[in-house]
Structure formats: structure tokens, C-alpha cells
Amino acid sequence: MAMDNLEDTCASLRAQIAATETQLAGLKRELETAEKAAAETKGQHSTNSASSENGTKKRDWPLLDDEYRRYGRQMIVPQLGLQGQLRLRSAKVLIVGAGGLGCPAAQYLAGAGVGTLGLVDGDTVEFSNLHRQVLHRSKNVGKFKVDSAIEYLQELNPHPTYIPHRAHLNPQEAADIFRNYDLILDCTDNPATRYLISDTAVLLGKPLISASALRTEGQLVVLNYPPRPAGDKSGGPCYRCVFPRPPPANSVVSCADGGIIGPVVGTMGVLQASEAVKVISSGLDGISAGPPSMHIFSAYSSPLFRTIKLRSRRPNCTVCSAEASVTLDTLASGSTDYFFFCGITDPEVLLSPEERISPLEYRKMYPEAAPSTENKQHTIIDVREKVQFDICNIDNSINIPISTILSSAMSLPKNTGEPTDPSSQIPPWLPADIVSPESTDPVYVVCRLGNDSQVAVKKLKELGLDRGGDRFVGDIQGGLHAWRKQVDPEWPEY
């Protein structure tokens, strides 16, 4: 027990040190900004003094000359005005995620003159980020995303204070980070972190602007706005109110797997910045907040946008209702397990070692580039979707998308001794030569990362393609990602 207390004390001290270091970094930036402002003000004072000697009245303005020039076009918009600009300058906004959503959101908020911008992200810049994460540059590949983003933002606008948080958000430190900010933007891409962000924002009384994007579609919602204590029905709904249960873990598709069009995620990030400007300039207390709504964007639909009205707080919500069971203490202690709640575990292994083969083992067994149609020794089924198969594929492999396989409820014909029409029971997506009773050549299934291929093998065996174990049906372990590492280093990486 004593050891547990000491460990808790150490963890608490580390968190306090991290928070203090973050605050110190922010204060240093604020000092630098203040010193610049003082120098400019001194110059203005000298001019004003000279004017006073000539009988001209001294004039004091709330913004610097550069700020009037920089923000003038937005200050003349009636919905913002000078008071709205001053609110932006004094606001502290935290952006969780410096990727496809966070980059455009940060870019426009910095440009608009938000006084303090914090960025949370533990990832580094990769080449695959550059088509949509517009703050990063090719020269910054390998850098922390927050450092790469701040490097750009400081060139865009030197007036705000930029605070990097170079780590993935976790329940133990989330509250200490959030306390220093007025408004939170959720620019992440996984359910577990979204629930953590929402819970922390609600418990600390911070409005939250959440967005997501995948392929050609996106969603946007302003949560906990107006921010009210748990049990206050006048408060805005939280993420748990909108999504009481997380989606099944195996149904969650990331941008890496499902793909994303840059302008789509950029649109959602810009909309987050727009909502942030509205929330800040109209008042963080949400007195003038309208009814909660979810905005849905679809780049290939007409109309492009749809809006769905949301209900108010759920009366039995575990965070924002009178029956709340999630507290700051449960976050800090780790008893609120977001990965468990979302059903997230390590990639599941569905096949036995005997049902799997590595790319290197496969190449040793079959030195030729691929099975030829003239001298066929085996079959390779690539279960990626056609759009990925068209990017690159193993010669003579057969493309049967995993979505097609999973939608099939058919089975192969059974040998009952009765005359039947086999073609009536064969799934239409399976080539006839593969299901022919005379065909005993091995079947290897490959996908991008080695996950869908396992599911496909299980399904093919359920259909009876393995002849009750007399025929090998297995997958290439690790998929084409491992193929690049073990067999062909020139294989396109996408």
C-alpha cells in the first residue's frame, strides 16, 4: 500500500512538473509578445509626445498598429467588430490533433488572432500526411507534428502564443492540460480519444468543437455549449449524449485504411475554426447559443451539407447528467478505461500459425514472380478493394474485395451423390476453376496489412473451399506491407 502511495505521489509530481513547464513556455512566449508590444508602444509614445508638444491630443488604442492592419478586414464584419477581436486575442484555444483537421483549424485561428493556441499531438510528420495536413512541409518529415505546425504558424502570425504538447493525450494528464484553455477543438481520428476529450471538457466546463472526416464525407458538432455543470439540463449535450455507445471496434475505419480526400478533411477543419470564432466572439458562456445540431458534409452529394438537430443532454448520461459516474478522479486514477470501453485491443489473430505464411517463405516456395496461367501451381486472392488493387498488385493475382466476400451467404455444393447444378450454389465472385472438385492447388489470400486476409480465409473455409482440410487455404502474414519489407523494397507504399 505504501509503495502504491509513493507511485501515485511520483505520478502526481510528474504531472505537475509537466504542467508547470508548459505554463512556463507559455509565459515566455507571452513575455516575448509583450516586449514586442512594449517596443512598438514606446515608438508610438514618442510620436504621441511629439504630437502633444504641437498641441495634438494623445490617442490610445487597444490593438497594435500591426493588428489593426492584420485583422481589419474581419473587424469590420458586424458579427465580430472590435470587441470580438479583443475576445479572440484574449482567448486560449487547445487543438487536440495536428493532422488533417488540426492543421487548417490552427491555420485559420492563428490568422484570426487567437491569443494562445495549444497543440497536442505525439506523432511525427510522414510523407503520407502531406497531401492534406497543410501546415507540414517535406523538409519537416520526421519532426513532431506540433513543432512543424508551430514553425509555420509563427511565420503566419507572430502575435499569438503557441504552446506545444508533444505527446498523445491520456486520461492522467488531460485535465491538467485542458485547465489552461478556454475552448477545445477535437481534431483526432479515433473514438477512444474523442470520448476522453469530451469527458474532460465537460468536467472542466469547456465548450468543445468536434469534427471527423473519412473518404469524401465529414461531420461537425459543437458540444457542451453552453457549458453547464453536470445535471443542469440547460447545458449542451456531450459526445456521449450523441453517441452513447461506441461503434464496434472492427467497424472503425481509419484514413490509412479507408482513404481521405484532402479538401474534405480541410473543409471540416476550416468549419471548426469558423465555429470557434463564433463561440469566442459571441461569448464562451454560450448565452446566445442556438439549438444543438450536427452538420454533415458530403463532397459528392447534392446538396453538399445537411444539418440534423440534436437532442439536449441525456438524463442518464454518465458524464453530464445528475447520474454522472465519470469524474476527474476516475480519469486521473485510470479507472475510466477508454480503450476497453471502445473495444480496442491489439490486432486480433484469427488464424493458427499453420494457416499463415510470411512473404519471404512464400517467395522461397514459389521463386517465380507470380503463378502463371499456363503452369498454375497455386492461387493468390487479393482482397483489397478494387481502387487499391488498381494501384499495385502481384502479377496474376485475383481481386476479390473483402466487402464482396463478407456479403456472401452462399456455400459450395456438397457431395450428396444426388445430381445437382453446382453453378447454382457457387458464389458468383469465385472463379469456377478455383471451386472445381479437381482443383487442389493451394490458395493464398493477401491484403494490405494482414488483417482482412485472415477474415477472408475464415470465410472461404466456411464456404468449404479447403475441402475439409485436404486443401491449403491460408493468408500471407502481414500483407503487402510486409511484402515490401521482405520481398520487394520497390513495392509502392501508400
Side-chain angles (χ1 to χ4, degrees):
M1 183 64 70
M3 179 62 71
D4 292 340
N5 291 336
L6 286 173
E7 291 178 352
D8 291 342
T9 300
C10 292
S12 176
L13 289 172
R14 291 190 194 100
Q16 292 179 46
I17 291 171
T20 303
E21 289 176 343
T22 299
Q23 186 177 14
L24 178 60
L27 290 173
K28 287 181 178 179
R29 293 190 179 278
E30 290 181 8
L31 174 60
E32 182 180 353
T33 302
E35 288 174 341
K36 290 180 181 178
E40 185 168 345
T41 302
K42 183 178 180 180
Q44 292 176 350
H45 178 72
S46 299
T47 303
N48 289 335
S49 297
S51 300
S52 298
E53 292 174 0
N54 296 328
T56 304
K57 184 179 179 181
K58 178 182 176 182
R59 304 175 68 187
D60 291 324
W61 305 106
L63 297 175
L64 303 176
D65 282 352
D66 178 67
E67 291 177 301
Y68 282 105
R69 291 191 296 268
R70 187 180 290 267
Y71 310 131
R73 296 296 186 273
Q74 67 187 30
M75 283 196 294
I76 62 177
V77 176
Q79 289 86 344
L80 189 70
L82 175 61
Q83 292 305 313
Q85 189 64 51
L86 292 174
R87 285 182 174 180
L88 286 173
R89 191 172 70 166
S90 63
K92 298 181 178 180
V93 178
L94 179 69
I95 299 176
V96 186
L101 293 167
C103 282
Q107 187 175 20
Y108 276 95
L109 289 178
V114 168
T116 300
L117 272 178
L119 287 89
V120 180
D121 202 312
D123 288 338
T124 56
V125 179
E126 300 177 1
F127 278 108
S128 61
N129 303 145
L130 300 180
H131 85 284
R132 66 192 185 282
Q133 299 179 16
V134 293
L135 295 184
H136 309 310
R137 299 290 179 266
S138 297
K139 66 177 183 178
N140 284 343
V141 168
K143 262 190 178 182
F144 275 109
K145 286 185 177 181
V146 292
D147 293 333
S148 172
I150 290 174
E151 177 183 310
Y152 179 101
L153 295 174
Q154 286 174 330
E155 293 182 6
L156 173 67
N157 189 352
H159 292 291
T161 297
Y162 303 105
I163 302 176
H165 301 273
R166 303 177 186 89
H168 296 295
L169 193 69
N170 63 67
Q172 289 73 33
E173 299 177 355
D176 288 333
I177 295 175
F178 280 32
R179 282 192 180 96
N180 299 318
Y181 298 91
D182 306 311
L183 175 66
I184 313 299
L185 268 63
D186 179 357
C187 300
T188 61
D189 61 358
N190 69 85
T193 307
R194 291 191 188 118
Y195 282 104
L196 167 60
I197 293 171
S198 175
D199 291 352
T200 309
V202 170
L203 294 172
L204 293 175
K206 314 287 185 180
L208 169 65
I209 301 173
S210 179
S212 62
L214 182 67
R215 298 191 178 104
T216 64
E217 299 182 344
Q219 293 181 350
L220 171 75
V221 62
V222 180
L223 300 168
N224 195 42
Y225 189 65
R228 297 289 185 268
D232 189 335
K233 296 180 180 179
S234 66
C238 70
Y239 195 80
R240 288 182 187 265
C241 294
V242 182
F243 302 104
R245 295 181 181 84
N250 58 8
S251 71
V252 177
V253 181
S254 68
C255 291
D257 294 328
I260 183 68
I261 293 181
V264 172
V265 68
T267 297
M268 304 316 298
V270 170
L271 288 175
Q272 282 183 283
S274 176
E275 290 296 319
V277 170
K278 287 164 57 179
V279 168
I280 295 168
S281 60
S282 62
L284 291 163
D285 55 9
I287 293 177
S288 59
S293 302
M294 175 181 288
H295 307 287
I296 300 174
F297 172 72
S298 182
Y300 284 76
S301 297
S302 182
L304 293 174
F305 288 94
R306 292 182 295 127
T307 298
I308 300 174
K309 290 185 178 179
L310 300 177
R311 295 180 179 179
S312 57
R313 289 181 168 181
R314 291 173 60 242
N316 60 343
C317 178
T318 57
V319 180
C320 65
S321 73
E323 302 177 8
S325 58
V326 177
T327 66
L328 291 176
D329 288 338
T330 65
L331 293 187
S333 67
S335 60
T336 301
D337 191 329
Y338 291 92
F339 288 100
F340 177 79
F341 174 68
C342 294
I344 299 174
T345 58
D346 293 332
E348 187 174 3
V349 178
L350 301 177
L351 304 179
S352 66
E354 293 75 21
E355 298 173 290
R356 315 196 74 184
I357 185 173
S358 72
L360 187 59
E361 291 171 331
Y362 168 87
R363 175 52 73 229
K364 289 179 178 178
M365 291 176 61
Y366 305 101
E368 297 297 326
S372 65
T373 54
E374 293 79 11
N375 185 23
K376 187 175 182 181
Q377 298 176 319
H378 64 286
T379 299
I380 297 181
I381 298 177
D382 188 326
V383 297
R384 294 174 299 159
E385 297 300 317
K386 184 178 184 302
V387 67
Q388 296 190 45
F389 184 80
D390 290 344
I391 295 174
C392 54
N393 57 76
I394 298 174
D395 290 342
N396 296 322
S397 58
I398 301 169
N399 182 216
I400 307 177
I402 185 66
S403 58
T404 301
I405 296 175
L406 295 179
S407 65
S408 173
M410 293 178 145
S411 60
L412 298 182
K414 296 180 180 180
N415 185 10
T416 61
E418 299 294 330
T420 60
D421 179 9
S423 62
S424 65
Q425 299 182 48
I426 297 175
W429 44 265
L430 269 177
D433 62 330
I434 294 180
V435 298
S436 170
E438 291 77 22
S439 177
T440 59
D441 57 288
V443 176
Y444 299 94
V445 181
V446 68
C447 66
R448 187 181 180 192
L449 300 173
N451 298 321
D452 287 344
S453 58
Q454 296 185 70
V455 176
V457 168
K458 298 287 285 186
K459 185 66 175 179
L460 292 174
K461 288 191 171 184
E462 290 174 6
L463 293 174
L465 197 66
D466 65 336
R467 315 292 184 204
D470 293 337
R471 180 191 202 182
F472 177 83
V473 178
D475 86 319
I476 296 180
Q477 189 170 1
L480 295 171
H481 181 71
W483 182 274
R484 172 184 169 87
K485 292 182 177 180
Q486 299 180 25
V487 176
D488 184 5
E490 296 183 359
W491 187 267
E493 183 176 15
Y494 63 93

